[in-house]
Amino acid sequence: MSSSPDIAGILDNTKELDRLRKEQEEVLVEINKMHKKLQATPEIVEKPGDTSLSKLKNLYIQAKELSESEVTVSNILLSQLDSLLPSGPTGQQRRKLGNEQKRKRMKVDSDVRVSPSMRNQIEAYASLKGEQVAARVTAEDAEKDEWFVVKVIHFDRETKEVEVLDEEPGDDEEGGGQRTYKLSMSCILPFPKRNDPSTTQEFIPGKHVLAVYPGTTALYKATVISTPRKVSFFPAPFQTRFNNV
């Protein structure tokens, strides 16, 4: 039968798709391990000879390449299926099938790529609407980081961007009015909740933190010397340690 080679090709590509997804799962497991390691001991990256950030970058590169390969194989499969489906009056059915496959593929991609810890993080950021947070408003390649206390007005689950409002912009802002920013999750640092002891942290001497300039919403990087009873420090997020990853 003339279609046998086409069927064999489809089966080969489905096997390749399964292989790519399994490799993605393995890479994601390693990425999550690195995240936990950095969360537990963020100071490790400052030790001479530590390669944690390099390893994390390589894992992200590998995950990106696997994802791109998966898209390529999926497109090939769609083309192979289109070539086997009858043309003419059933074109609408073919388009419907393609759309269903695309939706299923997007769902599988989402299930594979979004780990439980990432889902929890997304839910946590979605719950920040209306709350004040610390935000880095400068670009990743900026010579100097600028942090401000801002108000969260929206979180986009698709792009994973946080829209914030600077309620008290500096004097050098054009027009002197309020300004909004759309920032990545890594640029946002939620404040500890007063009614949730699990979110509080111990500020030991030598710890790197963000501190508030008196009478302003501006933040600056500082190092803890001693810890009084009431402090206005906010620990810098470990994500900011590898912005260029």
Side-chain angles (χ1 to χ4, degrees), residues 133-172:
V133 297
R136 177 168 56 80
V137 300
T138 46
E140 292 184 358
D141 57 353
E143 294 183 1
K144 183 179 179 181
D145 288 344
E146 291 185 7
W147 288 80
F148 294 101
V149 177
V150 296
K151 182 179 180 180
V152 177
I153 56 179
H154 180 68
F155 175 68
D156 192 323
R157 292 174 180 268
E158 296 296 325
T159 62
K160 296 180 179 62
E161 287 185 329
V162 185
E163 186 174 0
V164 299
L165 174 67
D166 183 0
E167 298 179 285
E168 297 182 11
D171 296 335
D172 58 341

Side-chain angles (χ1 to χ4, degrees), residues 102-230:
K102 183 178 179 180
R103 285 195 296 270
K104 290 179 180 178
R105 177 160 46 89
M106 291 176 65
K107 183 179 185 303
V108 171
D109 288 348
S110 177
D111 291 342
V112 170
R113 295 173 189 168
V114 181
S115 64
S117 61
M118 176 58 74
R119 290 194 192 98
N120 293 337
Q121 191 174 9
I122 289 174
E123 291 301 324
Y125 275 78
S127 68
L128 291 175
K129 184 176 180 180
E131 295 188 14
Q132 287 188 321
V133 297
R136 177 168 56 80
V137 300
T138 46
E140 292 184 358
D141 57 353
E143 294 183 1
K144 183 179 179 181
D145 288 344
E146 291 185 7
W147 288 80
F148 294 101
V149 177
V150 296
K151 182 179 180 180
V152 177
I153 56 179
H154 180 68
F155 175 68
D156 192 323
R157 292 174 180 268
E158 296 296 325
T159 62
K160 296 180 179 62
E161 287 185 329
V162 185
E163 186 174 0
V164 299
L165 174 67
D166 183 0
E167 298 179 285
E168 297 182 11
D171 296 335
D172 58 341
E173 293 286 352
E174 294 183 4
Q178 295 180 337
R179 186 174 179 179
T180 60
Y181 300 88
K182 287 187 177 180
L183 307 169
S184 64
M185 294 168 60
S186 62
C187 294
I188 301 296
L189 175 59
F191 292 155
K193 297 183 182 298
R194 295 180 182 276
N195 58 350
D196 186 358
S198 65
T199 64
T200 59
Q201 297 190 32
E202 182 181 359
F203 300 100
I204 60 176
K207 188 178 184 67
H208 297 296
V209 298
L210 292 174
V212 182
Y213 280 110
T216 73
T217 58
L219 301 168
Y220 65 94
K221 292 183 178 180
T223 302
V224 176
I225 298 177
S226 62
T227 308
R229 290 185 177 181
K230 295 183 179 180

Side-chain angles (χ1 to χ4, degrees), residues 3-19 73 76-78 80-81 84:
S3 62
S4 295
D6 294 329
I7 297 296
I10 289 174
L11 293 176
D12 287 341
N13 282 323
T14 56
K15 291 179 181 178
E16 176 65 9
L17 202 58
D18 289 338
R19 183 189 68 80
V73 175
I76 293 173
L77 275 170
L78 288 174
Q80 290 174 320
L81 291 169
L84 291 178

